Amino acid sequence: MNPYAKLTFLTSLMLGTTITASSNHWVSAWAGLEINTLAIIPLISKSHHPRAIEAAIKYFLVQAAASTLLLFSSMINAWHTGQWDITQLNHPTSSLLLTTAIAMKLGLVPFHFWFPEV
């Protein structure tokens, strides 16, 4: 892999983490998580081995499903509270979906079966 490309992906990874950690709005938190996902996939699949490509696809599918749950959770919360603010997570269904989405993204039990293979 080109050193400049690797530097770009690592910088994007740090930028996505910073955006996610410093966001007050659900959409900006989601955008930071997606930047992280798109930056890590080329780093996972850089060896061009079939197992690396399979791991990158598994990682992408799990992260996309978790991002969908995160957006759905924020939409339910906005529907019930009228606000898109992260600190106003009051509805129990949206809290459950957010916890599930974060558990999927982190590879926590019971959503951990994809993590060892990646």
Side-chain angles (χ1 to χ4, degrees):
M1 177 181 281
N2 187 353
Y4 294 118
K6 190 173 184 179
L7 178 67
T8 302
F9 291 135
L10 290 175
T11 305
S12 297
L13 197 59
M14 289 186 288
L15 176 71
T17 302
T18 305
I19 289 172
T20 302
S22 65
S23 63
N24 290 331
H25 196 272
W26 284 108
V27 177
S28 60
W30 171 77
L33 290 171
E34 290 303 312
I35 290 171
N36 278 343
T37 300
L38 293 176
I40 199 86
I41 287 174
L43 296 174
I44 291 173
S45 63
K46 71 179 179 178
S47 68
H48 299 294
H49 190 271
R51 298 278 292 177
I53 303 299
E54 178 185 357
I57 291 171
K58 284 180 185 178
Y59 181 83
F60 175 76
L61 290 176
V62 170
Q63 296 299 317
S67 290
T68 303
L69 278 177
L70 185 120
L71 284 176
F72 188 58
S73 167
S74 65
M75 285 177 20
I76 289 174
N77 188 51
W79 184 29
H80 286 286
T81 63
Q83 295 183 8
W84 285 88
D85 193 23
I86 287 178
T87 60
Q88 300 294 325
L89 188 66
N90 298 329
H91 196 263
T93 304
S94 64
S95 296
L96 178 68
L97 285 175
L98 178 70
T99 305
T100 304
I102 291 173
M104 283 178 72
K105 282 194 164 290
L106 293 175
L108 298 177
V109 173
F111 306 106
H112 67 288
F113 294 111
W114 66 273
F115 194 73
E117 297 174 6
V118 173

